[in-house]
mmCIF file of all heavy atoms in Angstrom:
data_model
loop_
_atom_site.group_PDB
_atom_site.id
_atom_site.type_symbol
_atom_site.label_atom_id
_atom_site.label_comp_id
_atom_site.label_asym_id
_atom_site.label_seq_id
_atom_site.Cartn_x
_atom_site.Cartn_y
_atom_site.Cartn_z
ATOM 1 N N ASP A 11 -14.622 -45.216 -15.568
ATOM 2 C CA ASP A 11 -14.685 -44.147 -16.513
ATOM 3 C C ASP A 11 -13.656 -44.448 -17.651
ATOM 4 O O ASP A 11 -13.134 -45.588 -17.717
ATOM 5 C CB ASP A 11 -14.493 -42.803 -15.842
ATOM 6 C CG ASP A 11 -13.070 -42.616 -15.169
ATOM 7 O OD1 ASP A 11 -12.140 -43.267 -15.664
ATOM 8 O OD2 ASP A 11 -12.976 -41.933 -14.196
ATOM 9 N N ARG A 12 -13.332 -43.519 -18.440
ATOM 10 C CA ARG A 12 -12.324 -43.781 -19.561
ATOM 11 C C ARG A 12 -10.947 -44.070 -19.018
ATOM 12 O O ARG A 12 -10.167 -44.698 -19.739
ATOM 13 C CB ARG A 12 -12.263 -42.554 -20.434
ATOM 14 C CG ARG A 12 -13.482 -42.280 -21.225
ATOM 15 C CD ARG A 12 -13.282 -40.967 -22.036
ATOM 16 N NE ARG A 12 -14.479 -40.556 -22.736
ATOM 17 C CZ ARG A 12 -14.733 -40.830 -24.021
ATOM 18 N NH1 ARG A 12 -13.888 -41.503 -24.732
ATOM 19 N NH2 ARG A 12 -15.858 -40.378 -24.602
ATOM 20 N N LYS A 13 -10.665 -43.665 -17.813
ATOM 21 C CA LYS A 13 -9.235 -43.787 -17.308
ATOM 22 C C LYS A 13 -9.008 -44.758 -16.242
ATOM 23 O O LYS A 13 -7.909 -45.234 -16.044
ATOM 24 C CB LYS A 13 -8.751 -42.406 -16.874
ATOM 25 C CG LYS A 13 -8.668 -41.391 -18.041
ATOM 26 C CD LYS A 13 -8.165 -40.113 -17.613
ATOM 27 C CE LYS A 13 -8.106 -39.143 -18.792
ATOM 28 N NZ LYS A 13 -7.886 -37.801 -18.422
ATOM 29 N N GLU A 14 -10.070 -45.034 -15.449
ATOM 30 C CA GLU A 14 -9.886 -45.941 -14.284
ATOM 31 C C GLU A 14 -11.120 -46.690 -13.903
ATOM 32 O O GLU A 14 -12.239 -46.284 -14.366
ATOM 33 C CB GLU A 14 -9.306 -45.169 -13.077
ATOM 34 C CG GLU A 14 -10.264 -44.170 -12.532
ATOM 35 C CD GLU A 14 -9.633 -43.422 -11.382
ATOM 36 O OE1 GLU A 14 -8.419 -43.496 -11.093
ATOM 37 O OE2 GLU A 14 -10.352 -42.692 -10.664
ATOM 38 N N ALA A 15 -10.944 -47.733 -13.150
ATOM 39 C CA ALA A 15 -12.095 -48.505 -12.709
ATOM 40 C C ALA A 15 -11.906 -48.887 -11.262
ATOM 41 O O ALA A 15 -10.728 -49.100 -10.745
ATOM 42 C CB ALA A 15 -12.259 -49.769 -13.558
ATOM 43 N N TRP A 16 -12.956 -49.041 -10.527
ATOM 44 C CA TRP A 16 -12.963 -49.354 -9.110
ATOM 45 C C TRP A 16 -14.084 -50.452 -8.781
ATOM 46 O O TRP A 16 -15.110 -50.528 -9.493
ATOM 47 C CB TRP A 16 -13.330 -48.117 -8.209
ATOM 48 C CG TRP A 16 -12.264 -47.040 -8.215
ATOM 49 C CD1 TRP A 16 -12.069 -46.151 -9.104
ATOM 50 C CD2 TRP A 16 -11.322 -46.853 -7.150
ATOM 51 N NE1 TRP A 16 -11.066 -45.246 -8.730
ATOM 52 C CE2 TRP A 16 -10.552 -45.739 -7.548
ATOM 53 C CE3 TRP A 16 -11.099 -47.526 -5.962
ATOM 54 C CZ2 TRP A 16 -9.569 -45.257 -6.755
ATOM 55 C CZ3 TRP A 16 -10.055 -47.040 -5.144
ATOM 56 C CH2 TRP A 16 -9.323 -45.904 -5.551
ATOM 57 N N VAL A 17 -13.736 -51.262 -7.829
ATOM 58 C CA VAL A 17 -14.775 -52.189 -7.285
ATOM 59 C C VAL A 17 -15.049 -51.701 -5.877
ATOM 60 O O VAL A 17 -14.108 -51.415 -5.091
ATOM 61 C CB VAL A 17 -14.201 -53.651 -7.200
ATOM 62 C CG1 VAL A 17 -15.210 -54.543 -6.486
ATOM 63 C CG2 VAL A 17 -13.958 -54.168 -8.667
ATOM 64 N N LEU A 18 -16.298 -51.455 -5.605
ATOM 65 C CA LEU A 18 -16.711 -51.096 -4.247
ATOM 66 C C LEU A 18 -17.597 -52.128 -3.705
ATOM 67 O O LEU A 18 -18.541 -52.595 -4.325
ATOM 68 C CB LEU A 18 -17.480 -49.740 -4.353
ATOM 69 C CG LEU A 18 -18.240 -49.282 -3.095
ATOM 70 C CD1 LEU A 18 -17.294 -49.015 -1.883
ATOM 71 C CD2 LEU A 18 -19.150 -48.042 -3.367
ATOM 72 N N GLU A 19 -17.241 -52.541 -2.473
ATOM 73 C CA GLU A 19 -18.141 -53.626 -1.821
ATOM 74 C C GLU A 19 -18.499 -53.131 -0.421
ATOM 75 O O GLU A 19 -17.703 -52.495 0.254
ATOM 76 C CB GLU A 19 -17.357 -54.983 -1.755
ATOM 77 C CG GLU A 19 -17.167 -55.496 -3.184
ATOM 78 C CD GLU A 19 -16.446 -56.823 -3.245
ATOM 79 O OE1 GLU A 19 -15.725 -57.204 -2.297
ATOM 80 O OE2 GLU A 19 -16.631 -57.511 -4.345
ATOM 81 N N THR A 20 -19.733 -53.471 -0.038
ATOM 82 C CA THR A 20 -20.210 -52.925 1.174
ATOM 83 C C THR A 20 -20.738 -54.000 2.184
ATOM 84 O O THR A 20 -21.119 -55.126 1.724
ATOM 85 C CB THR A 20 -21.411 -51.939 0.880
ATOM 86 O OG1 THR A 20 -22.528 -52.724 0.401
ATOM 87 C CG2 THR A 20 -21.061 -50.903 -0.122
ATOM 88 N N SER A 21 -20.751 -53.653 3.432
ATOM 89 C CA SER A 21 -21.349 -54.516 4.428
ATOM 90 C C SER A 21 -21.922 -53.514 5.444
ATOM 91 O O SER A 21 -21.200 -52.992 6.283
ATOM 92 C CB SER A 21 -20.229 -55.413 5.104
ATOM 93 O OG SER A 21 -20.820 -56.233 6.131
ATOM 94 N N GLY A 22 -23.239 -53.300 5.394
ATOM 95 C CA GLY A 22 -23.858 -52.349 6.241
ATOM 96 C C GLY A 22 -23.325 -50.985 5.825
ATOM 97 O O GLY A 22 -23.260 -50.686 4.584
ATOM 98 N N LYS A 23 -22.876 -50.140 6.832
ATOM 99 C CA LYS A 23 -22.271 -48.874 6.373
ATOM 100 C C LYS A 23 -20.803 -48.962 6.149
ATOM 101 O O LYS A 23 -20.131 -47.993 5.742
ATOM 102 C CB LYS A 23 -22.558 -47.868 7.529
ATOM 103 C CG LYS A 23 -21.759 -48.033 8.744
ATOM 104 C CD LYS A 23 -21.962 -46.902 9.741
ATOM 105 C CE LYS A 23 -20.973 -46.967 10.895
ATOM 106 N NZ LYS A 23 -21.093 -45.846 11.748
ATOM 107 N N TYR A 24 -20.203 -50.158 6.374
ATOM 108 C CA TYR A 24 -18.794 -50.373 6.202
ATOM 109 C C TYR A 24 -18.524 -50.730 4.733
ATOM 110 O O TYR A 24 -19.325 -51.352 4.055
ATOM 111 C CB TYR A 24 -18.265 -51.364 7.144
ATOM 112 C CG TYR A 24 -18.445 -50.867 8.619
ATOM 113 C CD1 TYR A 24 -19.565 -51.318 9.305
ATOM 114 C CD2 TYR A 24 -17.624 -49.997 9.137
ATOM 115 C CE1 TYR A 24 -19.794 -50.893 10.569
ATOM 116 C CE2 TYR A 24 -17.883 -49.501 10.411
ATOM 117 C CZ TYR A 24 -18.895 -49.965 11.117
ATOM 118 O OH TYR A 24 -19.151 -49.458 12.363
ATOM 119 N N TRP A 25 -17.336 -50.378 4.237
ATOM 120 C CA TRP A 25 -17.006 -50.616 2.804
ATOM 121 C C TRP A 25 -15.579 -50.722 2.591
ATOM 122 O O TRP A 25 -14.776 -50.193 3.404
ATOM 123 C CB TRP A 25 -17.629 -49.523 1.971
ATOM 124 C CG TRP A 25 -17.183 -48.123 2.377
ATOM 125 C CD1 TRP A 25 -17.829 -47.327 3.272
ATOM 126 C CD2 TRP A 25 -16.067 -47.413 1.837
ATOM 127 N NE1 TRP A 25 -17.135 -46.116 3.419
ATOM 128 C CE2 TRP A 25 -16.039 -46.161 2.527
ATOM 129 C CE3 TRP A 25 -15.085 -47.743 0.974
ATOM 130 C CZ2 TRP A 25 -15.009 -45.248 2.334
ATOM 131 C CZ3 TRP A 25 -14.078 -46.721 0.679
ATOM 132 C CH2 TRP A 25 -14.052 -45.519 1.362
ATOM 133 N N ALA A 26 -15.201 -51.349 1.459
ATOM 134 C CA ALA A 26 -13.848 -51.362 0.947
ATOM 135 C C ALA A 26 -13.840 -51.162 -0.522
ATOM 136 O O ALA A 26 -14.819 -51.550 -1.151
ATOM 137 C CB ALA A 26 -13.176 -52.719 1.347
ATOM 138 N N ALA A 27 -12.816 -50.495 -1.063
ATOM 139 C CA ALA A 27 -12.748 -50.254 -2.504
ATOM 140 C C ALA A 27 -11.371 -50.686 -2.998
ATOM 141 O O ALA A 27 -10.348 -50.487 -2.340
ATOM 142 C CB ALA A 27 -13.008 -48.821 -2.820
ATOM 143 N N GLU A 28 -11.364 -51.218 -4.195
ATOM 144 C CA GLU A 28 -10.133 -51.719 -4.857
ATOM 145 C C GLU A 28 -10.086 -51.026 -6.177
ATOM 146 O O GLU A 28 -10.987 -51.036 -7.026
ATOM 147 C CB GLU A 28 -10.156 -53.183 -4.975
ATOM 148 C CG GLU A 28 -9.053 -53.778 -5.799
ATOM 149 C CD GLU A 28 -9.178 -55.206 -6.069
ATOM 150 O OE1 GLU A 28 -10.026 -55.950 -5.469
ATOM 151 O OE2 GLU A 28 -8.580 -55.687 -7.033
ATOM 152 N N LYS A 29 -8.937 -50.355 -6.442
ATOM 153 C CA LYS A 29 -8.738 -49.772 -7.803
ATOM 154 C C LYS A 29 -8.241 -50.888 -8.672
ATOM 155 O O LYS A 29 -7.380 -51.622 -8.371
ATOM 156 C CB LYS A 29 -7.701 -48.704 -7.715
ATOM 157 C CG LYS A 29 -7.516 -47.951 -9.042
ATOM 158 C CD LYS A 29 -6.564 -46.719 -8.876
ATOM 159 C CE LYS A 29 -6.491 -45.982 -10.177
ATOM 160 N NZ LYS A 29 -5.626 -44.871 -10.113
ATOM 161 N N VAL A 30 -8.859 -51.074 -9.833
ATOM 162 C CA VAL A 30 -8.541 -52.104 -10.756
ATOM 163 C C VAL A 30 -7.332 -51.617 -11.551
ATOM 164 O O VAL A 30 -7.410 -50.613 -12.244
ATOM 165 C CB VAL A 30 -9.746 -52.427 -11.709
ATOM 166 C CG1 VAL A 30 -9.323 -53.499 -12.731
ATOM 167 C CG2 VAL A 30 -10.955 -52.816 -10.906
ATOM 168 N N GLU A 31 -6.236 -52.383 -11.475
ATOM 169 C CA GLU A 31 -4.999 -51.981 -12.098
ATOM 170 C C GLU A 31 -4.791 -52.589 -13.460
ATOM 171 O O GLU A 31 -3.824 -52.256 -14.121
ATOM 172 C CB GLU A 31 -3.821 -52.271 -11.135
ATOM 173 C CG GLU A 31 -3.928 -51.595 -9.739
ATOM 174 C CD GLU A 31 -3.781 -50.120 -9.861
ATOM 175 O OE1 GLU A 31 -3.300 -49.544 -10.829
ATOM 176 O OE2 GLU A 31 -4.140 -49.440 -8.785
ATOM 177 N N GLY A 32 -5.572 -53.587 -13.823
ATOM 178 C CA GLY A 32 -5.437 -54.180 -15.114
ATOM 179 C C GLY A 32 -6.049 -55.582 -15.113
ATOM 180 O O GLY A 32 -6.615 -56.007 -14.096
ATOM 181 N N GLY A 33 -5.993 -56.278 -16.188
ATOM 182 C CA GLY A 33 -6.618 -57.612 -16.298
ATOM 183 C C GLY A 33 -8.144 -57.497 -16.323
ATOM 184 O O GLY A 33 -8.713 -56.560 -16.931
ATOM 185 N N VAL A 34 -8.794 -58.507 -15.751
ATOM 186 C CA VAL A 34 -10.249 -58.539 -15.730
ATOM 187 C C VAL A 34 -10.670 -58.559 -14.251
ATOM 188 O O VAL A 34 -9.955 -59.009 -13.397
ATOM 189 C CB VAL A 34 -10.786 -59.736 -16.511
ATOM 190 C CG1 VAL A 34 -10.448 -59.646 -17.928
ATOM 191 C CG2 VAL A 34 -10.327 -61.054 -15.906
ATOM 192 N N ARG A 35 -11.920 -58.113 -13.957
ATOM 193 C CA ARG A 35 -12.435 -58.040 -12.650
ATOM 194 C C ARG A 35 -13.929 -58.215 -12.737
ATOM 195 O O ARG A 35 -14.600 -57.678 -13.631
ATOM 196 C CB ARG A 35 -12.012 -56.753 -12.009
ATOM 197 C CG ARG A 35 -12.314 -56.644 -10.525
ATOM 198 C CD ARG A 35 -11.445 -57.602 -9.681
ATOM 199 N NE ARG A 35 -11.466 -57.307 -8.324
ATOM 200 C CZ ARG A 35 -12.423 -57.648 -7.549
ATOM 201 N NH1 ARG A 35 -13.513 -58.439 -7.971
ATOM 202 N NH2 ARG A 35 -12.449 -57.355 -6.230
ATOM 203 N N ASN A 36 -14.508 -58.979 -11.831
ATOM 204 C CA ASN A 36 -15.937 -59.162 -11.814
ATOM 205 C C ASN A 36 -16.399 -59.109 -10.326
ATOM 206 O O ASN A 36 -15.621 -59.247 -9.413
ATOM 207 C CB ASN A 36 -16.350 -60.377 -12.493
ATOM 208 C CG ASN A 36 -15.852 -61.666 -11.793
ATOM 209 O OD1 ASN A 36 -14.725 -61.787 -11.416
ATOM 210 N ND2 ASN A 36 -16.718 -62.730 -11.714
ATOM 211 N N ILE A 37 -17.767 -59.018 -10.179
ATOM 212 C CA ILE A 37 -18.469 -59.070 -8.863
ATOM 213 C C ILE A 37 -19.644 -59.948 -9.083
ATOM 214 O O ILE A 37 -20.162 -60.111 -10.168
ATOM 215 C CB ILE A 37 -18.883 -57.613 -8.391
ATOM 216 C CG1 ILE A 37 -19.803 -56.990 -9.394
ATOM 217 C CG2 ILE A 37 -17.652 -56.811 -8.101
ATOM 218 C CD1 ILE A 37 -20.375 -55.662 -8.899
ATOM 219 N N SER A 38 -20.165 -60.498 -7.955
ATOM 220 C CA SER A 38 -21.267 -61.366 -8.009
ATOM 221 C C SER A 38 -21.781 -61.784 -6.619
ATOM 222 O O SER A 38 -21.388 -62.828 -6.103
ATOM 223 C CB SER A 38 -21.094 -62.631 -8.845
ATOM 224 O OG SER A 38 -22.235 -63.331 -9.005
ATOM 225 N N ASN A 39 -22.586 -61.000 -6.037
ATOM 226 C CA ASN A 39 -23.292 -61.364 -4.831
ATOM 227 C C ASN A 39 -22.454 -61.961 -3.702
ATOM 228 O O ASN A 39 -22.920 -62.805 -2.977
ATOM 229 C CB ASN A 39 -24.481 -62.308 -5.129
ATOM 230 C CG ASN A 39 -25.491 -61.665 -6.020
ATOM 231 O OD1 ASN A 39 -25.466 -61.842 -7.206
ATOM 232 N ND2 ASN A 39 -26.439 -60.871 -5.468
ATOM 233 N N GLN A 40 -21.196 -61.592 -3.613
ATOM 234 C CA GLN A 40 -20.382 -61.986 -2.559
ATOM 235 C C GLN A 40 -19.220 -61.069 -2.465
ATOM 236 O O GLN A 40 -18.935 -60.378 -3.512
ATOM 237 C CB GLN A 40 -19.865 -63.456 -2.702
ATOM 238 C CG GLN A 40 -18.888 -63.579 -3.858
ATOM 239 C CD GLN A 40 -18.551 -65.039 -4.135
ATOM 240 O OE1 GLN A 40 -19.367 -65.923 -4.212
ATOM 241 N NE2 GLN A 40 -17.261 -65.369 -4.263
#
């Protein structure tokens, strides 16, 4: 959103999320 960003990754019903604190961040099928 305008103020924050998150990366959410899943494995089945299990998941982990990382709050993006700065810089650049990407995801790609892993």
